[in-house]
Amino acid sequence: MTVKKTFPKILWLIISSSIFFIILYFTLFYYTKKAETQVYKDSVEHFDNEIHKLLDLESKPILVAINNDTNWDEFVDFTITKDKVWFDETIGNELAIYDAEYLGSYDAQKNFIMRTSTASIKSLDFIPKPAMDLLYKEGIKKFYLKIPEGIVEVTGAAIHPSNDPLKNKTKASGYFFVVRLINQEFLKNLSHITNSEIQLVGPSYNYSEEKNKISSVVQLKDSQGKIIADLLFQRNFEVYFENTINLLYIIIIAFLVILLMNLIYTRRLVYYPLYLVRRVLLTGNKKAIKLLKESNGEFSYIGNLFEENNNQKMELITAKIKAEESDRLKSSFLANLSHEIRTPMNAINGFTDLIINTDVNEAEKSEYLNVIEKSGKNLVSIIDDLIEMSKIDSNQIAPNYTLVNLESCVNELYETVKVTIQNKDLEFILIKSSMPAEFNIITDEIKLKQVLVNLLTNAIKFTDVGMVTFGYEIDEKNALIHFTVRDTGLGIDEEQHNNIFDRFKRVDSDISIKVGGLGLGLAISKAYVELLGGTITLESKVGEGSTFYVSIPLKYAEMEPITVSSVNNFEITKSDDKLILIAEDDNINFLLFQKMMQNKNYQIIRAVNGKETVEICLNNPSIDLVLMDIKMPIMNGFEAIERIQPVRPNLPIIAQTAYSSSEDKAKILDAGFTDYITKPLSRERLFELLTTYLEKRE
């Protein structure tokens, strides 16, 4: 009787427990599927937000650049004069800046003026007139077009004078458009930026969602809002839930076998993990996720899923912060660049206008010309820094090791910098080494000098009163040369020490704003020092000055004692009846050569291209010297010298070039040129070369 009464109780217990666990595991299945749906939904949403933000950031440099160009008075003048030379030399060179295939301009009546483009776009005038109408209201607009070459991204802006702060929406001086072709290279670059697979599909394309992929669609609309194509972004989504239902069936089938064990361990194996799942779903608690991962079976898998979801959120947040910081720094750098370029240009244009259009005496004219010359040099310095930083970023800089007389190098540097100190109560001292270098060393002298000049120039800039010292010491034990540049000037706040060598960051203060500059000097110096295998460090306190330490490897050449050469001033001598060939296609540059040498008794003839230069040199043996432009039509300077040298090996040929880096200069000398002069032309440097290769050859 007891057995009969007990059996129904046990059976009831089994049945009720079965029902309980069936409900429990279906609850688990429900939460799992809910988590799957939520995670997938969140991932798609985050992916879609990430794509749109990255696309906005990718377009930001174009918007900044086009805003600057279309608020330019010279551009306004161009829409009236339609000066092709101005457009080719000024706007035509900006294809690389915009990273675009086409730059087009229209006048105020929406008539096409001219364009510059790469070979990938042959079409001339394809911007619809209604798109220009929208620019009255919106100022700058981005849209898409379908042209014979394919689908293109168009960014357009109305052209206004710089003194039109209200951006007159009923009248524009013209229109300017930047066009990028959405080709395989464009999609490849976009795929790299977004870390996703990209397809360019038609607006009617139907795609099916896949569990192991997340997708985002960006509609490409024309200026009237009509969809002309879609960009389909897809990224792998490595989260799978297919095994959940299978495991559920196995658990239900095996339930009767493990019922007793489950009754004992229900709280530990089921209830508590479900409690953790609930905490994670409600609050995203990290500790609950960690405990869930440490649990058994499917709960551990769910814990990994939650952790991956949290990690994706953190990665997105981190990426967003970095993107915003990068965008802020680059925008700040571009704004500073615009300011630094426009400042000397303002002085050049302003004082030139005063000289031309006003009555000024000789003293005032001399003062204005000095300002123009100084501003021109500042502008060249800014451009040189930008080009050098660009080459460093693209790994186009390599050390050019030569034998260097270290003592002579340091003495020459001291004398060169010393003459630049003016109007300052400042002591500039060269500290003699306690153990001077007894032998020549092997290093890149040009880059070493550039580093030291940058450091000394900064020290002098930021020290109005006090002392600037520099020197070196030989560290035989560690095979190093230690250079020290110390000043008693402004000093640098300790919080800025980690940023001082960053290329997009500059320590802003009243003095730094006053002296100007892009703040690239220390970034270039750091890159050069590391290229030479050395290190650069800083010690500084506000109000007490700064000390920069540069260490480079010590490597002696052959052990032959050296003597220190003195630094001599160069004297210009006068020559007459020398025949000089100037190979220059630009009329203004040729006129400048003529005016510089008008007081010398030189005979000057001209060639306007490389081919003509070769013919004149080979057919006129009385030519004494050639000033040859590197960049000429028909045949460039490198091609021309290859044909002249075998026939006239002793003819001095001096390259005139706009390239100023040490690598470019080495390439010029390796090509066989006797010497070089850089643009903008220096009258003193020109006379120095003429004296060296004409007068002193006699």
Side-chain angles (χ1 to χ4, degrees):
M1 190 68 176
T2 304
V3 174
K4 289 183 180 181
K5 290 182 179 180
T6 305
F7 180 75
K9 292 181 179 180
I10 295 175
L11 183 61
W12 172 250
L13 177 61
I14 293 173
I15 293 173
S16 61
S17 298
S18 299
I19 294 173
F20 170 75
F21 276 98
I22 289 172
I23 295 173
L24 180 63
Y25 282 107
F26 270 108
T27 302
L28 170 63
F29 178 72
Y30 166 77
Y31 273 104
T32 302
K33 295 301 290 182
K34 184 177 180 181
E36 174 189 8
T37 303
Q38 186 63 40
V39 170
Y40 186 82
K41 179 181 177 182
D42 288 347
S43 298
V44 169
E45 182 179 348
H46 288 310
F47 179 61
D48 189 68
N49 290 337
E50 177 187 354
I51 291 299
H52 283 82
K53 289 185 179 185
L54 288 174
L55 289 178
D56 289 341
L57 287 175
E58 198 269 343
S59 300
K60 189 73 173 180
I62 291 181
L63 297 177
V64 173
I66 200 172
N67 184 60
N68 286 337
D69 282 347
T70 53
N71 289 294
W72 190 7
D73 292 337
E74 288 188 13
F75 210 163
V76 173
D77 295 339
F78 163 75
T79 61
I80 300 172
T81 63
K82 299 178 176 57
D83 184 355
K84 184 177 186 301
V85 174
W86 181 90
F87 186 88
D88 289 341
E89 293 181 352
T90 307
I91 302 301
N93 293 327
E94 293 190 352
L95 278 172
I97 296 175
Y98 283 102
D99 193 21
E101 284 77 27
Y102 176 102
L103 302 177
S105 59
Y106 291 75
D107 63 19
Q109 289 73 42
K110 306 170 188 172
N111 297 316
F112 175 75
I113 302 176
M114 64 185 64
R115 56 95 180 192
T116 182
S117 68
T118 63
S120 57
I121 294 184
K122 305 292 185 184
S123 301
L124 292 176
D125 177 12
F126 52 83
I127 305 298
K129 298 297 185 291
M132 300 182 202
D133 292 335
L134 293 176
L135 296 181
Y136 288 141
K137 300 178 180 180
E138 301 184 26
I140 297 177
K141 183 173 180 63
K142 184 173 79 172
F143 56 93
Y144 298 85
L145 288 176
K146 196 167 186 178
I147 64 174
E149 290 82 357
I151 295 175
V152 295
E153 176 197 78
V154 182
T155 305
I159 302 172
H160 295 278
S162 62
N163 62 355
D164 183 13
L166 297 179
K167 303 294 185 297
N168 192 331
K169 295 183 178 178
T170 60
K171 183 178 179 182
S173 300
Y175 306 90
F176 180 55
F177 295 91
V178 178
V179 178
R180 298 195 294 179
L181 182 63
I182 302 180
N183 52 17
Q184 290 300 320
E185 183 178 352
F186 180 93
L187 294 178
K188 182 180 179 181
N189 180 55
L190 201 56
S191 176
H192 176 72
I193 293 173
T194 60
N195 190 26
S196 59
E197 299 174 359
I198 304 177
Q199 297 182 55
L200 180 63
V201 299
S204 59
Y205 178 80
N206 292 321
Y207 67 95
S208 56
E209 292 187 355
E210 301 177 36
K211 283 190 175 182
N212 62 340
K213 288 184 181 292
I214 53 178
S215 305
S216 176
V217 176
V218 176
Q219 296 178 334
L220 307 184
K221 298 180 180 180
D222 62 17
S223 60
Q224 304 303 311
K226 180 182 177 182
I227 301 172
I228 61 174
D230 289 336
L231 282 179
L232 174 61
F233 296 81
Q234 289 187 315
R235 183 183 293 170
N236 290 335
F237 182 68
E238 304 296 341
V239 178
Y240 304 97
F241 289 85
E242 288 78 4
N243 293 330
T244 303
I245 191 167
N246 295 330
L247 289 175
L248 180 62
Y249 292 147
I250 294 172
I251 292 173
I252 294 174
I253 293 171
F255 168 74
L256 294 176
V257 178
I258 60 172
L259 177 59
L260 294 176
M261 293 179 61
N262 284 341
L263 289 173
I264 298 173
Y265 295 106
T266 295
R267 181 175 179 83
R268 185 169 66 88
L269 298 181
V270 178
Y271 176 77
Y272 186 62
L274 284 176
Y275 166 73
L276 295 176
V277 169
R278 185 178 64 186
R279 285 182 62 190
V280 173
L281 290 173
L282 293 176
T283 65
N285 187 280
K286 291 184 179 181
K287 184 177 180 181
I289 293 175
K290 181 179 178 182
L291 294 172
L292 199 58
K293 285 179 60 181
E294 294 173 354
S295 61
N296 298 319
E298 202 68 18
F299 292 109
S300 177
Y301 178 75
I302 295 173
N304 289 328
L305 174 64
F306 283 131
E307 184 178 59
E308 181 177 344
N309 185 42
N310 272 8
N311 289 339
Q312 287 183 350
K313 288 181 180 179
M314 293 305 299
E315 288 175 2
L316 288 174
I317 292 172
T318 302
K320 177 184 177 184
I321 293 173
K322 288 183 178 179
E324 289 175 348
E325 174 68 8
S326 176
D327 183 53
R328 185 186 67 78
L329 290 175
K330 289 182 179 179
S331 297
S332 174
F333 178 77
L334 287 173
N336 186 39
L337 171 61
S338 175
H339 170 76
E340 292 299 332
I341 289 178
R342 289 177 184 273
T343 297
M345 285 301 299
N346 180 61
I348 293 171
N349 293 339
F351 283 102
T352 301
D353 181 69
L354 286 174
I355 293 174
I356 295 174
N357 298 316
T358 62
D359 294 330
V360 294
N361 57 41
E362 288 302 319
E364 289 176 322
K365 183 183 293 185
S366 177
E367 179 185 356
Y368 295 170
L369 290 174
N370 285 334
V371 173
I372 293 172
E373 180 186 27
K374 183 178 179 182
S375 298
K377 289 179 179 179
N378 289 341
L379 190 59
V380 170
S381 176
I382 290 170
I383 295 171
D384 285 345
D385 281 352
L386 286 172
I387 293 173
E388 201 67 13
M389 202 70 248
S390 175
K391 288 187 175 183
I392 290 171
D393 286 340
S394 57
N395 296 320
Q396 295 182 15
I397 302 293
N400 181 26
Y401 292 109
T402 58
L403 296 182
V404 178
N405 183 327
L406 189 56
E407 276 291 299
S408 295
C409 174
V410 171
N411 289 338
E412 179 183 344
L413 194 62
Y414 171 73
E415 296 294 336
T416 302
V417 175
K418 184 179 180 180
V419 299
T420 65
I421 302 175
Q422 299 176 356
N423 303 322
K424 284 193 175 186
D425 185 12
L426 184 65
E427 287 187 79
F428 181 48
I429 301 174
L430 172 62
I431 300 177
K432 296 296 184 180
S433 174
S434 60
M435 187 176 67
E438 298 180 359
F439 309 99
N440 286 329
I441 65 168
I442 297 177
T443 190
D444 188 325
E445 183 176 10
I446 294 176
K447 290 182 176 57
L448 176 60
K449 282 184 175 180
Q450 185 65 50
V451 171
L452 295 176
V453 166
N454 285 345
L455 296 179
L456 289 170
T457 302
N458 277 353
I460 293 169
K461 275 184 182 180
F462 295 102
T463 307
D464 289 327
V465 178
M467 181 185 301
V468 173
T469 65
F470 87 104
Y472 77 92
E473 291 293 338
I474 300 294
D475 184 353
E476 297 275 4
K477 180 179 179 181
N478 297 308
L480 293 171
I481 308 173
H482 301 295
F483 295 90
T484 304
V485 176
R486 181 177 285 110
D487 66 72
T488 59
L490 179 67
I492 302 167
D493 192 285
E494 190 172 349
E495 294 180 356
Q496 299 289 345
H497 287 192
N498 292 331
N499 301 329
I500 197 70
F501 297 106
D502 289 351
R503 64 199 63 184
F504 291 132
K505 293 185 178 180
R506 184 181 70 170
V507 179
D508 288 326
S509 66
D510 292 342
I511 295 181
S512 63
I513 293 173
K514 178 182 177 181
V515 300
L518 296 176
L520 293 178
L522 290 177
I524 293 173
S525 298
K526 183 174 185 290
Y528 279 175
V529 170
E530 292 176 349
L531 192 68
L532 298 177
T535 59
I536 181 170
T537 56
L538 161 71
E539 288 182 2
S540 182
K541 289 185 179 180
V542 176
E544 297 182 11
S546 304
T547 303
F548 285 86
Y549 301 97
V550 175
S551 298
I552 63 171
L554 170 64
K555 186 177 181 181
Y556 285 121
E558 294 182 4
M559 299 300 186
E560 297 180 359
I562 60 175
T563 58
V564 179
S565 59
S566 60
V567 180
N568 297 321
N569 293 324
F570 193 87
E571 294 183 1
I572 298 176
T573 59
K574 185 159 181 157
S575 176
D576 39 0
D577 299 325
K578 296 293 183 180
L579 181 58
I580 298 174
L581 170 62
I582 298 178
E584 175 59 71
D585 62 306
D586 186 86
N587 292 331
I588 294 177
N589 286 340
F590 177 71
L591 176 63
L592 181 58
F593 273 116
Q594 283 186 311
K595 294 300 181 182
M596 283 183 173
M597 295 187 287
Q598 64 183 355
N599 294 328
K600 291 256 186 183
N601 294 326
Y602 295 130
Q603 298 181 43
I604 297 175
I605 59 176
R606 180 188 183 187
V608 296
N609 58 59
K611 181 180 178 182
E612 188 176 327
T613 304
V614 174
E615 292 174 352
I616 294 175
C617 287
L618 299 185
N619 297 323
N620 193 341
S622 61
I623 292 176
D624 296 295
L625 183 140
V626 179
L627 289 166
M628 185 185 296
D629 189 13
I630 291 295
K631 205 172 181 182
M632 291 187 294
I634 302 179
M635 185 185 298
N636 64 37
F638 292 112
E639 295 170 330
I641 197 172
E642 284 184 1
R643 305 196 181 190
I644 297 172
Q645 268 198 327
V647 180
R648 300 198 60 183
N650 297 322
L651 176 64
I653 303 178
I654 297 172
Q656 36 169 319
T657 175
Y659 308 115
S660 59
S661 70
S662 57
E663 285 73 19
D664 294 320
K665 294 172 182 176
K667 181 181 177 182
I668 288 171
L669 296 178
D670 290 342
F673 285 95
T674 311
D675 215 318
Y676 61 87
I677 183 170
T678 58
K679 299 177 182 178
L681 297 174
S682 166
R683 185 169 176 270
E684 290 76 11
R685 172 64 175 165
L686 176 61
F687 286 169
E688 177 185 336
L689 292 171
L690 294 179
T691 301
T692 301
Y693 298 110
L694 287 180
E695 280 75 3
K696 290 191 175 181
R697 290 176 67 228
E698 297 179 345

